[in-house]
Amino acid sequence: MSRSSLRRELVIPITILVISVSAAIAWVSMKAGTDAVYTLTQRVLVDMVNRINVASEKHLDGALTALESVAPSSTRVPKEHDFSSDLHVLEDKFWAASGLFMDVNNYVYFGGTDGRFMGVYRISRSEVQLFVREPDSDHRDVYRVTAIGDRSVKIRQDQFDPRKRPWYQAAMNSETPVWSKIYNNFSFHYPTITLAKSVFQKNHEFAGVVATDVTLKELSNFLSRLEISKNSVAYIVDAEGFIVATSGKELPERVVNGLPERMRASDMKTSLISETFKKVGNRVLTQQETLSLELEQGTVDVAVSPLGNKQGLNWQTVVAVPRADFMNTINQGFFQSVVIAIACIIFALTIGLTIVERVIRDIRKLTAAAEKFGNGEPMPKMDIRRTDEIGILAETFSEMENKLRFDKLTQVANRESLFAQITHIQRLAEDNPEQVQGYTLLFVDLDRFKFVNDNYGHDAGDKVLVITAARLRAAVRDTDDVARYGGDEFVLLIKDVRHANDIHHLVDKISAVVEEPIALENAMVDVGASIGWASYPEDGDDYMRLIKIADSRMYNRKRDRKLQRVNRA
């Protein structure tokens, strides 16, 4: 056999083997990466829809809370509850109600059967407008006020009869609170929806209607701050297909003949909104759905969920993510694998197989991490040290987990991450009831934190929160978790600790650590810690109930601490 023939016998089989193996590995890598991206995309869609729904329902619940603070429903008070339509009494109540959720519903008002009207509109903390129409008067007075009872600055006078307004007429014929259609408020220049409720005096005598305006601008602001992917979009539509809020830059309204007009989702110029809505349609949903659509821009993964059913609305939340946003890195990795295969033919089969094996190992880590992330478990440390596309994808996974799971300021877990971890623990308990070890939630509320904010500024307050979070993290075990629940409130997830003595010892330890002085730039401050607790399963098997119990115990402890300070004084 000639020398050239031997070379051919060796080179051709090895070349075919290397190409075949490299091609097979490239296919497996592509499939594994695609599966990982699909798993991650589905989880991102679900998490984003849930975040939007929670924020939106909190937005709407604020209106219900404001009206309940003024006129409690019959389920909360005796049926003979007497609603007072005295304008001075209402002014006092509306000052409090309009300040509950100023970013959402800062205008609360009442119209009586005799034409009387009282409204408090909080433009800001320092600027408040008061609307007053005396019984059977033919006009309404508008004042700029600084305190209850102030009538020193009269802005204007207008013709206004609340009994002729749509919100009054709709609510007076309904036994339950009534939402208006979304409209553009000509006074305040942004989309608004009104919640109105009829109120009664003794013996169920109709007294009038209380109402509050809910601004929808904050919903769009919230959606625009969401970080999903480069070309994704999130939007909310009402029962008639009109845009309620959107994460895009396109406004959900247009001007026709000088007047603002709301936009239907199907008429939006943003193709990802109009095309997905035409495919999804404005169906009546009872639960969340995910689906994949083939549109002009390629495959788009979509999650759609009902919104506002508990509040009496029939809205829908839609999140659409082009799959190409996550697949670009995988596609680049595929072409790189082909280059690696050619290099293997030239340089060495061993080098090629080593590189491919490393690729598969890292993608398996990504897939396993994505599956754990999808199940609500903490993502394991992947230990992927690469600078190519797979390394970028690994960094993207970690960055996305950090954005979804951790509080941006304090770098401890956020509320959604806390709920996911508790859900995972309880799911394991349901699957293995004989191995249930339980957990305890500690609800921590900082005392005197407002004093720091008011006297040293919000930067100082942020520093106090960061230091407190670090102290809480250091005060518990590595297996425990610390989450920022909101504002100056933290929740600690303590695993396998339920004995009262252990809990009280831990509470005292945490209180001592948190209450150590904190050095600011120009002062030393200290904050207190009021802590309440609840254990699973002793105090219940629903984590929201456990948090409420811990919150209640925290407030009792805070009250006792205040009484002790007063007695010492």
Side-chain angles (χ1 to χ4, degrees), residues 362-396:
D362 291 340
I363 290 183
R364 285 173 178 165
K365 291 179 181 179
L366 291 172
T367 303
E371 290 176 351
K372 286 184 175 292
F373 187 83
N375 292 330
E377 303 176 53
M379 281 177 55
K381 185 176 180 181
M382 291 180 286
D383 195 26
I384 298 178
R385 299 184 178 92
R386 304 173 67 105
T387 58
D388 57 8
E389 288 78 5
I390 295 175
I392 294 172
L393 183 59
E395 293 176 1
T396 302

Side-chain angles (χ1 to χ4, degrees), residues 519-534:
L520 301 178
E521 290 184 0
N522 300 316
M524 292 289 292
V525 299
D526 64 283
V527 293
S530 296
I531 305 175
W533 59 272

Side-chain angles (χ1 to χ4, degrees), residues 373-418:
F373 187 83
N375 292 330
E377 303 176 53
M379 281 177 55
K381 185 176 180 181
M382 291 180 286
D383 195 26
I384 298 178
R385 299 184 178 92
R386 304 173 67 105
T387 58
D388 57 8
E389 288 78 5
I390 295 175
I392 294 172
L393 183 59
E395 293 176 1
T396 302
F397 271 48
S398 299
E399 292 173 359
M400 187 165 297
E401 183 201 23
N402 187 66
K403 291 177 181 177
L404 292 176
R405 291 189 186 278
F406 295 97
D407 178 65
K408 185 176 181 180
L409 174 65
T410 61
Q411 290 303 302
V412 296
N414 58 25
R415 183 187 303 196
E416 291 79 9
S417 177
L418 172 70

Side-chain angles (χ1 to χ4, degrees), residues 45 51 66 118 135 151 190 203 209 216 221 224 232 246 266 279 337 422 442-443 451 476-478 486 507 516 554 568:
L45 285 172
R51 288 181 63 186
M118 169 61 65
R151 303 287 191 278
Y190 37 72
N203 301 321
V209 175
L216 300 179
N221 292 342
S224 65
S232 62
T246 174
S266 56
K279 293 279 188 178
S337 298
I422 297 175
L442 300 183
F443 199 105
F451 173 83
V476 298
R477 302 165 301 181
D478 292 339
V507 167
E516 292 180 2
M554 179 274 295
R568 286 197 299 267

Side-chain angles (χ1 to χ4, degrees), residues 350-364:
T350 304
I351 296 175
L353 290 176
T354 301
I355 294 174
V356 173
E357 177 61 27
R358 181 175 173 231
V359 170
I360 292 178
R361 182 181 68 248
D362 291 340
I363 290 183
R364 285 173 178 165

Side-chain angles (χ1 to χ4, degrees), residues 53 59-60 100 136 194 199 230 280 309 316 326 336 366 426 451 490 555:
N53 284 359
H59 201 86
L60 298 172
L100 291 175
D136 300 319
T194 296
V199 291
K230 180 180 179 181
V280 172
N309 290 345
Q316 288 184 8
F326 294 108
Q336 187 181 37
L366 291 172
Q426 295 188 174
F451 173 83
F490 295 85
Y555 273 110

Side-chain angles (χ1 to χ4, degrees), residues 197-254:
K197 173 183 178 181
S198 57
V199 291
F200 302 86
Q201 295 178 347
K202 287 185 177 180
N203 301 321
H204 297 279
E205 181 181 352
F206 178 65
V209 175
V210 292
T212 182
D213 290 347
V214 181
T215 64
L216 300 179
K217 182 175 65 174
E218 284 300 316
L219 283 183
S220 289
N221 292 342
F222 173 77
L223 295 183
S224 65
R225 293 192 296 267
L226 292 177
E227 297 183 14
I228 308 174
S229 68
K230 180 180 179 181
N231 300 301
S232 62
V233 67
Y235 59 94
I236 299 172
V237 293
D238 64 15
E240 297 178 356
F242 287 101
I243 290 289
V244 175
T246 174
S247 63
K249 295 182 179 179
E250 183 182 2
L251 295 176
E253 62 181 46
R254 58 188 173 189

